[in-house]
Amino acid sequence: MRKVYLDNSATTRTDTRVADKIYEMLTVEYGNPSSLHGMGARAYQCLGTARHQAAKMISADTSSIYFTSGGTESNNLAILGGAVGNLAAGGRLVTTQLEHSSVSAPFARLEKEGYTVTRVPPRKDTHRMAAGDIVDAVDGDTSLVSLMYVNNETGEILPVRETVQGIRKKNPHTLIHCDCVQGFGKVPFKLFEMDVDMLSASAHKLYGPKGVGCLFVKDRSRIEPRIFGGKQESGLKPGTENTALIAGFGAACDLALVHIRENYAHVLGLRDMLVRELGRMEGIHINSPLGGSPYILNVSYSGHSSDEIVSFMSSSGIYISAGSACSKGARSHVIEAMGYSEDIIRSAVRISLSHENTQEDIRCFLEALGRMGRKECG
């Protein structure tokens, strides 16, 4: 049976060149980067190289990149650390109803601690976020705003540039954080165009290893650490750095940056093929905006539950998801917030593409979906 992996938003395959770099760091350059001898110095140099590789992706200063264990830690550090570090600006916080749980959960925690949290919904007529709605939620007491760049369930590209510009005019003291986990290395993002204060990324979404990510911080003085006990990463993320995974992350960044436009074009062609063919099938509803990231397509198949579709596809050797991997198959809060009907919500699945996918992969998925429909009719 042919295996077709269409769950690349959950995680990607680690590129063999990245794995080779990780192996080298584990077996050859395995020194502690805080050690003062030669091996430690070489390990520290590898950290600097990886920091520069990650910084290049978003045109950031190398010194503004801090390595973490992944997107969840980066988001938590930005939100919890940013809210405390910028408390003088006020106790009001703003986010959207579409955020990943690693963003929504820290906000819920801060709310319990006495912060006022505004969660801006998408517009019901377009099912999309509007920059004006987020800006309108900001006032003179807003210390922090967090919004994602690419939605992890639908691929919607949120209006980060327009939102940042509006917030800067309304309250220049507000910290702005962007969860860029699903866009980093896939959809171009440059800080000279989208002037956020903090940005989160994760290696395993762009063919790097699991367990490592980074946080861009424009002004270190405005964010407080959440872990204490060392001077690594300028005290923002203390503890011995995982040099092997960090070097792998850096290698993945270099590969992604070189091929970002050709990979995007390839995946866009696959997404358009998928949308075109799905449009010919009965009972299919496309939930993703077609102007979003081509790497993610969310669809509903009327009359079937999300779990049923995922299970049938898995039995056919095709791997998709019912939404965010972190949700463990729970009902999609994103599709619900977008204002769709109960049938669409309960039958929503996510197909997430990679530059390694082919037209044959798409045909296999469509054929399996057709078999599922015929089985129902039979």
Side-chain angles (χ1 to χ4, degrees):
M1 181 190 298
R2 178 186 173 89
K3 305 294 183 183
V4 177
Y5 186 74
L6 299 173
D7 196 21
N8 291 281
S9 290
T11 194
T12 55
R13 179 187 72 85
T14 300
D15 190 285
T16 54
R17 291 162 291 185
V18 172
D20 287 343
K21 183 63 179 179
I22 295 170
Y23 183 76
E24 176 194 345
M25 295 301 297
L26 288 171
T27 60
V28 180
E29 296 296 351
Y30 52 84
N32 187 320
S34 295
S35 295
L36 299 181
H37 49 62
M39 283 190 70
R42 288 195 298 275
Y44 184 78
Q45 194 172 42
C46 289
L47 284 183
T49 298
R51 210 180 302 278
H52 177 63
Q53 290 167 321
K56 283 192 301 181
M57 188 71 72
I58 54 174
S59 297
D61 289 334
T62 300
S63 61
S64 64
I65 298 295
Y66 301 87
F67 291 114
T68 67
S69 64
T72 293
E73 184 178 15
S74 292
N75 285 338
N76 273 256
L77 179 56
I79 295 162
L80 298 175
V84 173
N86 201 42
L87 186 58
R92 295 194 69 251
L93 312 172
V94 174
T95 187
T96 83
Q97 291 185 2
L98 304 185
E99 302 301 314
H100 186 270
S101 59
S102 62
V103 168
S104 60
F107 274 106
R109 175 71 182 185
L110 289 167
E111 196 168 35
K112 288 181 179 179
E113 294 177 3
Y115 290 81
T116 300
V117 179
T118 300
R119 299 172 178 84
V120 182
R123 292 192 172 176
K124 299 305 179 185
D125 55 341
T126 63
H127 309 290
R128 300 184 66 175
M129 294 302 308
D133 294 344
I134 303 172
V135 175
D136 286 345
V138 173
D139 63 17
D141 293 321
T142 303
S143 60
L144 176 70
V145 173
S146 181
L147 73 160
M148 61 194 350
Y149 182 41
V150 175
N151 185 265
N152 57 300
E153 293 195 35
T154 68
E156 176 184 353
I157 298 176
L158 274 68
V160 174
R161 182 188 336 211
E162 297 84 352
T163 301
V164 171
Q165 290 172 346
I167 293 172
R168 296 289 186 227
K169 291 178 182 177
K170 197 169 185 181
N171 185 348
H173 302 294
T174 299
L175 278 177
I176 305 172
H177 165 250
C178 181
D179 173 1
C180 198
V181 167
Q182 292 292 349
F184 195 81
K186 296 179 179 180
V187 182
F189 186 110
K190 298 297 182 183
L191 289 167
F192 56 78
E193 295 178 332
M194 291 174 269
D195 181 30
V196 299
D197 296 293
M198 298 178 287
L199 178 144
S200 304
S202 183
H204 76 105
K205 308 297 186 180
L206 67 152
Y207 317 98
K210 300 174 184 66
V212 64
C214 71
L215 179 66
F216 158 79
V217 180
K218 183 193 294 185
D219 184 351
R220 168 68 181 83
S221 69
R222 300 182 72 189
I223 179 171
E224 291 290 327
R226 299 288 85 198
I227 303 173
F228 304 90
K231 296 181 179 179
Q232 295 91 346
E233 301 304 299
S234 299
L236 192 58
K237 205 301 189 172
T240 303
E241 296 96 340
N242 192 329
T243 52
L245 297 188
I246 290 171
F249 182 21
C253 287
D254 260 6
L255 291 170
L257 185 58
V258 168
H259 301 290
I260 190 168
R261 297 197 181 279
E262 65 185 88
N263 289 345
Y264 188 98
H266 173 73
V267 171
L268 179 61
L270 296 180
R271 195 281 308 270
D272 288 349
M273 173 187 175
L274 188 54
V275 169
R276 183 174 62 251
E277 296 303 320
L278 287 172
R280 296 171 179 167
M281 298 180 66
E282 291 290 333
I284 296 291
H285 184 273
I286 305 294
N287 305 321
S288 295
L290 297 186
S293 167
Y295 286 88
I296 302 172
L297 186 69
N298 194 291
V299 303
S300 293
Y301 192 2
S302 182
H304 301 273
S305 71
S306 303
D307 290 347
E308 178 188 352
I309 301 168
V310 171
S311 178
F312 182 87
M313 287 294 165
S314 183
S315 68
S316 302
I318 300 167
Y319 306 109
I320 62 173
S321 71
S324 171
C326 295
S327 70
K328 299 290 187 181
R331 174 189 177 97
S332 171
H333 74 281
V334 172
I335 306 302
E336 186 172 15
M338 291 169 73
Y340 282 121
S341 68
E342 181 64 27
D343 182 51
I344 288 175
I345 295 168
R346 70 178 293 273
S347 62
V349 293
R350 179 184 69 183
I351 303 108
S352 46
L353 304 169
S354 158
H355 67 267
E356 296 181 337
N357 287 128
T358 64
Q359 290 188 1
E360 183 59 27
D361 291 338
I362 303 303
R363 282 191 284 269
C364 286
F365 168 76
L366 293 167
E367 288 169 5
L369 201 61
R371 289 197 303 274
M372 186 176 184
R374 290 192 294 274
K375 180 181 177 183
E376 176 192 17
C377 294

